[in-house]
């Protein structure tokens, strides 16, 4: 449909804003999950989405899980997963709780663009569906963000914002005071020093919630 084609074009702002050394892959899903395009650095990857059918059931959680696993095969340390959906999960084997726990274990930032509330004619969901809060949580625990555009203009703006953020992120590291290798969950909190930053009211720090310490 024209709506789906426009959505795919908007989502690929992330590809168009990429650097030559960046690489991408494409997974599509309805009741099943398919790897449409293996890792490539070619921006021609956009053509692979032409004619993709968006009908059928929705194995959303399984698709995100598959995407997170596949990212482990990437060559770069910085990894992000862009999830585009207009339907509530009704075909996955994986539960949301299991997916959330798996996402917390991965060094991947998740961004979500969800079309709930009237933009996609095929979407029966409203913005007050529990899935909205679940997708927000999934993005937040990884340091990403969820967007729920109501128009094509808002969709473009969301995808451009994601593309810009991916190009301008900082990678921070630290040596933990707790050196125990016990596999426990370690909470991360990053705070801005507002006393030294101009226009500090417009700035905020968004990071993943934490990480699991190594077992050995």
């Amino acid at each position: 449909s024209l709506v789906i084609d426009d959505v795919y074009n908007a989502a690929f702002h992330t590809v168009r804003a990429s650097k030559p050394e960046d690489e991408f892959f494409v997974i599509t899903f309805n009741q099943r999950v398919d790897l449409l395009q293996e890792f490539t650095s070619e921006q021609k990857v956009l053509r692979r989405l032409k004619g993709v059918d968006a009908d059928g059931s929705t194995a959303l959680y399984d698709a995100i899980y598959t995407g997170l696993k596949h990212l482990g095969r990437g060559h770069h340390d910085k990894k992000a997963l862009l999830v585009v959906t207009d339907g509530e999960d009704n075909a996955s084997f994986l539960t949301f709780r299991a997916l959330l726990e798996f996402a917390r274990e991965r060094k991947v930032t998740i961004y979500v663009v969800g079309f709930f509330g009237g933009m996609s004619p095929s979407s029966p969901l409203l913005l007050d569906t529990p899935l909205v809060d679940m997708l927000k949580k999934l993005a937040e625990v990884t340091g990403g963000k969820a967007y729920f555009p109501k128009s094509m203009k808002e969709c473009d703006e969301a995808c451009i914002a994601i593309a810009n953020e991916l190009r301008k992120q900082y990678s921070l590291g630290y040596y933990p005071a707790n050196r125990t290798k016990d596999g426990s969950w370690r909470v991360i909190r990053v705070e801005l020093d507002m006393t030294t930053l101009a226009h500090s009211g417009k700035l905020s720090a968004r990071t993943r919630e934490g990480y699991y310490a190594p077992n050995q």
Side-chain angles (χ1 to χ4, degrees), residues 25-29 33-37 49 63 66-68 70 81:
F25 69 93
V26 178
I27 284 177
T28 57
F29 60 95
V33 181
D34 293 308
L35 178 63
L36 188 68
Q37 171 64 59
L49 285 175
T66 301
L68 289 172
H70 199 73
L81 181 67

Side-chain angles (χ1 to χ4, degrees), residues 72-177:
R73 300 175 59 183
H75 297 97
H76 302 297
D77 291 334
K78 181 179 174 182
K79 297 178 174 67
L81 181 67
L82 175 59
V83 179
V84 181
T85 183
D86 71 346
E88 188 162 10
D89 188 284
N90 55 17
S92 288
F93 291 100
L94 198 69
T95 65
F96 178 77
R97 184 174 181 177
L99 173 62
L100 185 64
E101 188 62 25
F102 185 74
R104 295 174 83 181
E105 298 172 358
R106 317 299 286 191
K107 296 180 180 179
V108 176
T109 306
I110 297 177
Y111 295 90
V112 176
V113 179
F115 306 107
F116 309 145
M119 179 180 161
S120 173
S122 64
S123 175
L125 297 179
L126 300 176
L127 283 174
D128 61 354
T129 175
L131 181 62
V132 168
D133 290 335
M134 293 162 72
L135 291 175
K136 285 181 180 178
K137 179 65 175 177
L138 183 65
E140 288 171 0
V141 300
T142 66
K145 188 174 181 180
Y147 298 84
F148 301 95
K150 297 180 181 178
S151 66
M152 200 59 238
K153 181 176 182 294
E154 290 184 6
C155 177
D156 275 325
E157 291 171 349
C159 292
I160 290 171
I162 293 170
N164 289 337
E165 182 170 314
L166 288 173
R167 290 182 62 88
K168 298 176 182 178
Q169 285 178 335
Y170 288 92
S171 295
L172 302 177
Y174 74 101
Y175 293 100

Side-chain angles (χ1 to χ4, degrees), residues 203-214:
L203 301 177
S204 63
R206 176 158 38 85
T207 64
R208 63 184 304 110
E209 287 187 348
Y211 66 96
Y212 284 100

Side-chain angles (χ1 to χ4, degrees), residues 6-76:
D6 287 343
V7 168
Y8 286 150
N9 280 312
F12 269 77
H13 282 298
T14 55
V15 176
R16 298 186 192 98
S18 67
K19 300 175 183 177
E21 64 270 21
D22 291 342
E23 56 184 4
F24 333 91
F25 69 93
V26 178
I27 284 177
T28 57
F29 60 95
N30 41 38
Q31 65 269 23
R32 55 179 287 178
V33 181
D34 293 308
L35 178 63
L36 188 68
Q37 171 64 59
E38 183 53 274
F39 275 110
T40 179
S41 59
E42 296 287 335
Q43 293 200 6
K44 292 182 294 184
V45 66
L46 178 60
R47 299 176 186 172
R48 296 285 294 159
L49 285 175
K50 295 298 183 183
V52 172
D53 189 355
D55 294 332
S57 303
T58 305
L60 175 60
Y61 305 155
D62 287 354
I64 297 174
Y65 175 82
T66 301
L68 289 172
K69 284 192 66 176
H70 199 73
L71 274 166
R73 300 175 59 183
H75 297 97
H76 302 297

